[in-house]
Amino acid sequence: MPNRLAHETSPYLLQHADNPVDWWPWSAEAFEEARKRSVPVLLSVGYSSCHWCHVMAHESFEDQETAEYLNAHFVNIKVDREERPDVDAVYMEAVQAATGQGGWPMTVFLTPDAEPFYFGTYFPPAPRQGMPSFQQVLQGVRSAWADRRDEVAEVAGKIVRDLAGREISYGDSLAPGEEQLAAALLGLTREYDPQRGGFGGAPKFPPSMVVEFLLRHHARTGAEAALQMAQDTCERMARGGIYDQLGGGFARYSVDRDWVVPHFEKMLYDNALLCRVYAHLWRSTGSELARRVALETADFMVRELRTDQGGFASALDADSDDGTGRHVEGAYYVWSPEQLREVLGDEDAELAVQYFGVTEEGTFEEGSSVLQLPQQDVFFDAERIASIRERLLHKRNGRSAPGRDDKVVAAWNGLAIAALAETGAYFDRPDLVEAALGAADLLVRLHLDDHARLARTSKDGQVGANAGVLEDYADVAEGFLALASVTGEGVWLEFAGFLLDHVLTRFADDSGSLYDTAADAEKLIRRPQDPTDNASPSGWTAAAGALLGYAAHTGAEPHRTAAEKALGVVKALGPRVPRFIGWGLAVAEALLDGPREVAIVGPSLDDEGTKTLHRTALLGTAPGAVVAVGTPGSDELPLLADRSLSNGEPTAYVCRNFTCDTPTIDPERLRTTLSG
């Protein structure tokens, strides 16, 4: 018989709806039940494409004996971290503080007042490699709750007090300047892996936001070291197993330093950020590899993640059926030499082995290999390789595909909107711009209420109950600003303004600090607040970028002031931990550059001269430049006010802080002006 999760919209929660565990969703009623029964709460947090979440579910939550013990002695709450990033953040902070590490599945034991007192991540069904079994943990927690309740309460109270004292040390509220950004670049060079690209060791995550900073820093200063790190990192990732060499798109991270073996789940946020970064790398260098990867990643998102309603699904699983009934990580993506021969025949299979770096012993498991591009394309016949790719992809499409989390997350769709709008504009792909517009329409139609308050998620056209957090407001505003620049439609600037007004009034305090949840959101044991960028921009730095862009479009001083104050934390963290504040550093580059305000006016948006100037402006590398395009007298976009044609010809105006250079009708002059 299904449990309470059967009524939820989260795919992750629905995966547990038939567990014998008597799960509750996160709710006041669940904690009231724990108080009534005088039992502790088991909080289990994960997400649908999490491999080890599936493992623990199969080993423990589907086990009848374990479920009976959980039901008898605990109130059990299951949370999708993608639906409730606030709940996840608060308790992950406690897990990391107590254990020195974190991850998912996250397993936390709470008092009925939601105060944590024991922590962990994955627990096996039997003791393993120094880890206790899940049953041992449950028995230990039950014993402590029954026999040492006062001690448990004391521990929980101390943890909550410690968390409450972890307010962000805000500093002097001044944005970073030349000195801090140069120090951040120096810090990155120290952590850079010159042999393999990227930063740090294994596991290795795509440093998309750091690469954006490096590209902007090079554009502004001409620093060749910054461009070289960005280029080499992007090339190594694109040639590695972390990139899907047949279908496009990136896996979440590489388990090794060489980008060979990925953790195979594909996340929308990674692919949106990387699509945009590779498009920007092409814009800076003309790299054909960057162009191909940007377009293939955009096509992957549209082909495999777009939902029937026009939004973009959250993720694809790492696991799938390997053809024998086993659910195996990577089964959809890997190949053995024998499998290549079956599809291609001996001669083409031999070429594919060389081209994709497939070995007899395998680079992954059980003699299978992850496809890579270890050699330059110039050594191979392009038409023959294209035929091989097409046949392998056709064969792969017949395999059991990984599951898809169809949940539409507002923030991640905002990132996808920005990436698809810009990539479509750069490469004359109006279909990609249309896909961005479709997702934006869905967010406005379904996720925004009459007061421009944003819902975090939807699924199958049904909006979720969870309120948007700071990253939702900021990333959706970022996407809308990109659409305004690409389409010339002022409505997207207007919607961005509505969202950013909420940022100013509900997510910021008087000092300029930002919180991940609104002032009127559900109260947790701590109001989460984290300015550091992780797999995607933090709400804090994303808000700084969107506020700055909106101010450049409109001249809104409160928004620019808020952006500058928000960047104060980047001044403090950038020189010390540049890998974890990459988007903040990129926004700081835009602030130092102005950012530039570009207005293009022409007789019509369909006029060829207008389109040439508009595309030239969009391809400018000046950090964070904003672009408005329209006709003389248009009141859709503030930057177009009082702009006129020069001798009847399309004209470009380039300004900083609303002080403008001489207008130009020459695309080449405009290109030079906006090249750093």
Side-chain angles (χ1 to χ4, degrees):
M1 179 178 176
N3 56 49
R4 294 172 186 82
L5 301 186
H7 304 293
E8 297 298 308
T9 58
S10 158
Y12 176 64
L13 299 187
L14 290 171
Q15 287 170 1
H16 294 80
D18 292 317
N19 289 169
V21 177
D22 185 21
W23 290 115
W24 292 70
W26 179 273
S27 60
E29 292 79 8
F31 288 99
E32 182 56 37
E33 177 72 9
R35 277 188 285 272
K36 186 165 64 177
R37 289 174 49 196
S38 191
V39 296
V41 170
L42 165 69
L43 173 64
S44 177
V45 182
Y47 56 103
S48 71
S49 55
C50 165
H51 172 72
W52 287 103
C53 299
H54 295 316
V55 171
M56 189 169 177
H58 176 68
E59 292 173 342
S60 296
F61 301 141
E62 295 172 11
D63 178 70
Q64 188 66 40
E65 182 181 350
T66 302
E68 288 175 359
Y69 193 90
L70 283 166
N71 296 340
H73 303 294
F74 300 89
V75 166
N76 307 293
I77 297 178
K78 177 63 76 172
V79 167
D80 181 344
R81 68 176 294 261
E82 296 173 352
E83 276 198 334
R84 291 300 304 261
D86 52 341
V87 172
D88 177 64
V90 165
Y91 292 104
M92 184 59 74
E93 187 175 12
V95 172
Q96 291 173 328
T99 68
Q101 59 186 9
W104 299 274
M106 177 167 62
T107 307
V108 186
F109 294 91
L110 315 175
T111 72
D113 293 323
E115 297 178 337
F117 62 88
Y118 189 79
F119 316 89
T121 52
Y122 165 78
F123 289 108
R128 184 189 307 164
Q129 298 175 340
M131 284 190 291
S133 72
F134 190 46
Q135 278 282 1
Q136 288 173 325
V137 170
L138 295 178
Q139 290 164 5
V141 170
R142 182 202 172 196
S143 174
W145 183 259
D147 302 332
R148 303 190 303 278
R149 184 82 57 91
D150 291 344
E151 182 181 328
V152 168
E154 183 179 346
V155 169
K158 183 178 185 305
I159 291 169
V160 170
R161 289 191 298 274
D162 288 346
L163 291 175
R166 288 170 170 248
E167 293 295 313
I168 298 296
S169 177
Y170 190 67
D172 58 14
S173 78
L174 294 176
E178 294 279 2
E179 181 182 350
Q180 288 79 29
L181 295 179
L185 179 64
L186 180 61
L188 289 171
T189 61
R190 291 174 179 147
E191 296 189 68
Y192 182 65
D193 184 340
Q195 281 75 44
R196 306 167 183 86
F199 301 88
K204 220 169 202 175
F205 289 81
S208 52
M209 292 154 284
V210 167
V211 171
E212 182 67 28
F213 160 63
L214 294 172
L215 291 175
R216 290 186 180 190
H217 189 77
H218 171 261
R220 188 179 61 81
T221 69
E224 288 300 323
L227 181 61
Q228 196 66 52
M229 285 191 287
Q231 283 182 295
D232 290 352
T233 295
C234 286
E235 178 165 355
R236 290 303 298 263
M237 289 192 299
R239 292 186 171 279
I242 193 173
Y243 184 67
D244 182 349
Q245 302 297 342
L246 296 183
F250 288 84
R252 184 163 169 253
Y253 63 85
S254 173
V255 301
D256 58 88
R257 297 181 65 177
D258 293 298
W259 309 105
V260 174
V261 177
H263 185 42
F264 290 89
E265 61 188 337
K266 287 180 172 180
M267 311 301 295
L268 174 60
Y269 54 75
D270 282 324
N271 284 284
L273 290 165
L274 287 164
C275 175
R276 199 179 188 191
V277 158
Y278 277 88
H280 289 176
L281 177 61
W282 172 82
R283 183 175 67 178
S284 296
T285 66
S287 162
E288 180 56 34
L289 177 65
R291 177 185 183 277
R292 176 173 67 80
V293 171
L295 285 170
E296 287 178 353
T297 304
D299 286 337
F300 156 75
M301 287 191 288
V302 173
R303 182 182 68 248
E304 299 193 34
L305 294 179
R306 187 158 57 172
T307 69
D308 291 342
Q309 294 74 34
F312 290 91
S314 297
L316 298 180
D317 282 359
D319 304 0
S320 60
D321 192 312
D322 68 351
T324 69
R326 296 187 307 159
H327 219 56
V328 177
E329 183 178 6
Y332 186 70
Y333 300 101
V334 298
W335 299 82
S336 68
E338 180 59 32
Q339 289 172 321
L340 294 178
R341 285 190 285 270
E342 289 174 2
V343 178
L344 303 172
D346 290 345
E347 191 173 335
D348 277 354
E350 183 178 348
L351 178 61
V353 162
Q354 297 173 33
Y355 185 74
F356 290 118
V358 176
T359 67
E360 288 293 338
E361 59 274 15
T363 59
F364 184 50
E365 296 173 352
E366 300 179 1
S368 62
S369 291
V370 184
L371 301 188
Q372 307 171 69
L373 297 183
Q375 302 181 56
Q376 296 292 328
D377 288 354
V378 294
F379 299 118
F380 298 90
D381 181 281
E383 288 188 11
R384 194 173 167 194
I385 290 298
S387 172
I388 287 172
R389 282 181 188 272
E390 184 178 351
R391 283 178 282 163
L392 290 178
L393 184 59
H394 178 75
K395 179 66 174 179
R396 194 180 80 176
N397 288 340
R399 293 176 174 178
S400 178
R404 187 172 85 163
D405 185 332
D406 284 334
K407 178 173 73 272
V408 172
V409 176
W412 306 348
N413 274 256
L415 297 175
I417 289 165
L420 292 170
E422 291 183 356
T423 303
Y426 296 170
F427 302 117
D428 194 22
R429 285 282 304 274
D431 58 310
L432 298 180
V433 179
E434 285 300 315
L437 284 166
D441 285 338
L442 175 71
L443 293 179
V444 170
R445 185 175 71 251
L446 194 61
H447 286 241
L448 274 182
D449 70 11
D450 293 341
H451 303 285
R453 293 190 177 219
L454 195 58
R456 169 88 175 157
T457 62
S458 67
K459 183 178 181 294
D460 299 330
Q462 179 181 348
V463 68
N466 298 305
V469 295
L470 179 60
E471 69 166 354
D472 294 305
Y473 285 82
D475 288 336
V476 173
E478 177 79 14
F480 288 175
L481 291 172
L483 272 183
S485 286
V486 165
T487 66
E489 296 175 4
V491 65
W492 300 115
L493 181 63
E494 186 177 1
F495 278 127
F498 294 153
L499 296 173
L500 293 171
D501 285 345
H502 281 292
V503 170
L504 296 181
T505 58
R506 298 173 57 226
F507 291 89
D509 67 14
D510 292 340
S511 73
S513 288
L514 295 167
Y515 290 87
D516 295 334
T517 54
D520 53 356
E522 177 189 351
K523 297 296 185 287
L524 303 175
I525 59 169
R526 162 175 162 75
R527 190 178 179 191
Q529 181 188 43
D530 185 0
T532 58
D533 301 319
N534 199 309
S536 60
S538 69
W540 188 310
T541 61
L547 287 163
L548 184 64
Y550 183 78
H553 267 289
T554 64
E557 191 56 39
H559 296 74
R560 184 177 179 95
T561 299
E564 292 173 348
K565 286 184 175 181
L567 290 173
V569 77
V570 181
K571 180 179 181 181
L573 296 179
R576 292 191 289 138
V577 287
R579 282 174 57 194
F580 303 103
I581 199 78
W583 190 251
L585 292 167
V587 176
E589 287 289 345
L591 180 65
L592 277 184
D593 195 66
R596 318 275 179 101
E597 306 127 10
V598 187
I600 309 295
V601 291
S604 77
L605 294 184
D606 294 327
D607 172 74
E608 289 301 321
T610 305
K611 289 196 285 189
T612 297
L613 281 179
H614 182 211
R615 185 168 184 271
T616 301
L618 292 172
L619 290 175
T621 57
V626 301
V627 178
V629 61
T631 55
S634 170
D635 59 359
E636 275 208 68
L637 296 164
L639 286 178
L640 301 177
D642 302 320
R643 307 297 188 196
S644 59
L645 305 180
S646 295
N647 299 320
E649 294 195 53
T651 305
Y653 297 80
V654 179
C655 314
R656 272 192 179 105
N657 298 318
F658 296 88
T659 299
C660 301
D661 297 339
T662 303
T664 183
I665 62 173
D666 181 5
E668 184 59 28
R669 181 179 169 191
L670 177 61
R671 186 195 67 78
T672 301
T673 300
L674 294 176
S675 296

